[in-house]
């Protein structure tokens, strides 16, 4: 189980789109706990007190560190992911969603009406995560959805899309009416922050030295409602096992019930990257 090595960019020079950007040495790492009551879900693979593991090393629960009790657990009898200790570039443990017993492991939260009250599309919200991609794969990394709907419009999700042979990762909303591509090439990590502010869907991402900030209007916004299920490695529908799964490593995931500002999004992105990947991008507080 290896993460492909990658060369580090020269310290002090980061790529922002096609331009070079110097990181701010005085920038402070932001912790999810600093968002206060806006923090609704927080999973942390490197916090051993928040990861429950059985005797075989399978992860049976990711505890919600937000205090809202929205723990991610086994979905039916579906296979579970495993702990991958000390595999991130900064030596942190990750949760590996890999093939187990012939199927990909997954975790999720279902029947949580609180998810809809937090993240209904007409309400501003923010999602953030750090993930690693060890192989070329296509599928859903995480999905917040209305499982009662047969329409894929009723969900927020991040998809691993290797069809371009570039390992692009797509944020999808409202029947693919608002798709944005961020770069998380195979064998690398991706720090990703997604925001809906009531009118547009925007992301801020970092893959190595590549920094992206993109946004677009949300079409058919009212199609997303009744969000009541969160799934890692797959998308959910009532009466069916999660489908369209992807192999990946999860370091951290958190969600907020407000839209971060542009500056806050970039700070969250850099904080995720500093913790889980190249620590030289940010100076410790």
């Amino acid at each position: 189980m290896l993460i492909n090595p990658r060369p580090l960019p020269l310290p002090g020079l980061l790529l922002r789109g096609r331009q070079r950007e110097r990181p701010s040495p005085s920038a402070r790492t932001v912790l999810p706990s600093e968002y206060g009551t806006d923090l609704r879900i927080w999973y942390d693979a490197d916090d051993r007190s928040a990861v429950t593991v059985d005797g075989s090393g399978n992860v049976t629960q990711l505890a919600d560190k937000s205090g809202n009790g929205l723990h991610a657990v086994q979905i039916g009898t579906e296979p579970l992911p495993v702990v991958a200790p000390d595999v991130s570039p900064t030596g942190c443990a990750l949760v590996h969603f890999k093939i187990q017993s012939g199927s990909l492991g997954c975790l999720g939260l279902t029947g949580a009406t609180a998810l809809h009250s937090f993240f209904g599309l007409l309400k501003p919200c923010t999602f953030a995560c750090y993930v690693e991609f060890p192989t070329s794969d296509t599928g859903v990394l995480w999905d917040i959805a209305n499982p009662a709907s047969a329409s894929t419009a009723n969900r927020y999700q991040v998809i691993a899309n290797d069809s371009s042979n570039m390992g692009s990762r797509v944020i999808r909303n409202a029947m693919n009416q608002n798709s944005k591509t961020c770069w998380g090439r195979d064998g690398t990590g991706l720090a990703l922050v997604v925001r809906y502010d009531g009118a547009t869907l925007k992301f801020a991402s970092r893959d190595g030295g590549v920094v992206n900030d993109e946004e677009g209007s949300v079409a058919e916004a009212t199609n997303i409602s009744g969000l009541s299920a969160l799934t890692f490695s797959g998308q959910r529908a009532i009466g069916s096992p999660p489908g369209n799964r992807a192999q990946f490593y999860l370091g951290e995931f958190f969600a907020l019930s407000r839209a971060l500002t542009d500056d806050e999004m970039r700070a969250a992105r850099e904080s995720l990257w500093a913790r889980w990947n190249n620590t030289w991008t940010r100076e410790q507080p």
Side-chain angles (χ1 to χ4, degrees):
M1 178 165 46
L2 298 173
I3 300 293
N4 296 338
R6 68 181 78 69
L8 293 178
L10 292 175
L13 289 178
L14 305 179
L15 297 179
R16 182 185 179 86
R18 296 175 179 269
Q19 300 180 359
R20 296 176 183 267
E21 176 192 84
R22 291 185 181 275
S24 170
S26 62
R28 184 181 65 84
T29 299
V30 179
L31 298 174
S33 56
E34 296 180 40
Y35 297 115
T37 57
D38 292 322
L39 180 64
R40 298 303 188 179
I41 301 174
W42 180 16
Y43 304 120
D44 182 352
D46 196 50
D47 184 345
R48 296 188 180 184
S49 68
V51 180
T52 303
V53 181
D54 65 18
S56 300
N58 299 315
V59 177
T60 58
Q61 176 177 282
L62 289 177
D64 175 16
K65 293 175 62 173
S66 75
N68 291 309
L70 300 177
H71 311 308
V73 297
Q74 185 174 24
I75 301 171
T77 60
E78 293 300 308
L80 295 163
V82 299
V83 171
D86 307 324
V87 298
S88 83
T90 55
C92 294
L94 304 172
V95 172
H96 190 187
F97 292 85
K98 67 175 187 175
I99 294 176
Q100 297 263 70
S101 303
S103 182
L104 276 167
C106 61
L107 288 173
L109 166 69
T110 192
T113 56
L115 283 179
H116 182 220
S117 65
F118 295 158
F119 306 124
L121 186 64
L122 299 180
K123 297 172 181 159
C125 52
T126 303
F127 308 97
C129 64
Y130 177 81
V131 292
E132 292 265 358
F133 308 107
T135 61
S136 298
D137 205 355
T138 299
V140 175
L141 305 184
W142 59 260
D143 175 65
I144 292 182
N146 177 354
S149 173
S151 169
T152 56
N154 285 12
R155 59 188 72 245
Y156 292 101
Q157 63 182 201
V158 172
I159 308 170
N161 177 15
D162 197 51
S163 61
S164 66
N165 296 318
M166 300 253 337
S168 60
R169 311 308 174 199
V170 179
I171 301 158
R172 187 169 72 183
N173 192 0
M175 288 299 287
N176 234 15
Q177 295 292 325
N178 188 253
S179 295
K180 291 295 175 183
T181 301
C182 46
W183 304 110
R185 290 178 291 275
D186 302 317
T188 72
L190 176 69
L192 174 65
V193 183
V194 186
R195 175 191 76 197
Y196 175 68
D197 63 6
T200 60
L201 191 68
K202 180 172 183 175
F203 77 79
S205 68
R206 178 183 291 284
D207 160 32
V210 177
V211 179
N212 283 327
D213 294 285
E214 291 192 28
E215 66 182 331
S217 61
V218 177
E220 303 178 19
T222 56
N223 281 0
I224 295 188
S225 62
L227 304 177
S228 60
L230 167 62
T231 308
F232 290 105
S233 186
Q235 67 183 35
R236 200 90 63 91
I238 285 179
S240 302
N244 197 19
R245 301 185 191 180
Q247 293 195 67
F248 73 104
Y249 292 87
L250 174 69
E252 191 168 3
F253 175 92
F254 65 87
L256 309 174
S257 58
R258 73 172 175 90
L260 294 182
T261 66
D262 288 357
D263 286 345
E264 286 177 321
M265 287 181 70
R266 296 183 188 108
R269 175 193 65 199
E270 294 304 294
S271 295
L272 285 167
W273 189 257
R275 180 184 181 194
W276 297 96
N277 206 294
N278 292 335
T279 53
W280 60 264
T281 62
R282 293 293 298 270
E283 183 179 77
Q284 294 299 316

